[in-house]
Amino acid sequence: EEDEAPVEIVEPAFTISKSLTSNNPANVGERVVYEIVVSNTGDTVLTTVPVTDTYASLYLTYATADVTPSSTPANLLIWNNVGPIAVGSAVTITVEFTATNPTTPDVTTNTVRATADELPEEEDEAPVEIVEPAFEIAKTLTSNNPANVGERVVYEIVVSNTGDTVLTTVPVTDTFDNAYLEYAEADDTPDTTTSSQLTWNNVGSIAVGSAVTITVEFTATNP
């Protein structure tokens, strides 16, 4: 006499990855977008796949996700189950935050974790730096006031980087009344000049805490 009892042996497995798909660094007020991918790398369907995403609410505010979380407690997004996930398939979740405060000189790291059918937990991280660029511009008359007809009228234009990141592209436009003034020269030659406007396409880059100064001279033409 004999009898048989077949058994199927499977090896479930999965991976999880998280990547930043938006600008890095991000400006305050800008959207910060992450892509979370849970992949079934084993040989059996993953039926229950909870996912947890942890973020720093000091720097980021949750905005939206293309797979709505089951709950959104402080600093946390929870999906109770993004399964089932077939063998060789994956689930992708796109999550958007709003950058609320600068992190410079540090970065904030978002961590995503998942388990699947009682497998050991897997996690991945994606850092982002949040910056708050800012600048000030001032124009000052440095020559005689009042000026005589035919006399040089000199202005000093100062562009200051008051933010926390390098300003790489800084266009400047200076408009003047050509009924009274005629452009003469500048220590930084404008890229374009018209009868009433001077344009510098880019006076950057300007480092944090630094400034660019442009001295512009006109001739007084009419009282």
Side-chain angles (χ1 to χ4, degrees):
E1 297 285 336
E2 67 177 49
D3 196 12
E4 295 179 348
V7 62
E8 180 184 8
I9 300 174
V10 295
E11 189 173 15
F14 76 99
T15 61
I16 187 166
S17 66
K18 183 173 188 178
S19 56
L20 179 70
T21 60
S22 55
N23 294 334
N24 191 16
N27 294 329
V28 169
E30 189 175 359
R31 282 294 174 99
V32 177
V33 184
Y34 293 97
E35 187 176 82
I36 300 167
V37 180
V38 185
S39 303
N40 185 342
T41 57
D43 57 10
T44 185
V45 173
L46 300 175
T47 56
T48 305
V49 188
V51 174
T52 301
D53 186 40
T54 305
Y55 64 95
S57 58
L58 175 62
Y59 307 112
L60 297 170
T61 298
Y62 168 65
T64 185
D66 63 351
V67 178
T68 304
S70 307
S71 58
T72 58
N75 306 322
L76 204 61
L77 305 177
I78 298 172
W79 292 267
N80 292 338
N81 184 17
V82 299
I85 306 176
V87 175
S89 296
V91 168
T92 299
I93 307 170
T94 301
V95 185
E96 295 188 21
F97 298 87
T98 301
T100 52
N101 287 296
T103 58
T104 304
D106 302 315
V107 297
T108 181
T109 299
N110 277 28
T111 303
V112 65
R113 297 178 176 87
T115 59
D117 295 344
E118 301 181 356
L119 290 169
E121 184 178 80
E122 296 283 342
E123 70 173 49
D124 195 18
E125 297 179 342
V128 62
E129 180 184 7
I130 301 172
V131 296
E132 190 169 24
F135 74 97
E136 292 179 354
I137 188 166
K139 185 176 183 179
T140 307
L141 178 68
T142 60
S143 57
N144 294 334
N145 190 15
N148 295 322
V149 171
E151 190 176 357
R152 283 294 174 97
V153 178
V154 184
Y155 291 97
E156 187 176 81
I157 301 169
V158 180
V159 185
S160 304
N161 184 342
T162 57
D164 58 10
T165 185
V166 174
L167 299 175
T168 55
T169 304
V170 187
V172 174
T173 300
D174 184 39
T175 303
F176 59 95
D177 191 339
N178 60 10
Y180 305 103
L181 296 172
E182 181 180 279
Y183 169 64
E185 62 179 334
D187 61 353
D188 184 353
T189 304
D191 295 287
T192 58
T193 61
T194 69
S195 60
S196 59
Q197 186 170 282
L198 310 176
T199 302
W200 292 265
N201 293 338
N202 185 17
V203 299
S205 64
I206 307 176
V208 175
S210 296
V212 167
T213 300
I214 307 170
T215 301
V216 185
E217 295 189 21
F218 299 88
T219 302
T221 55
N222 286 295

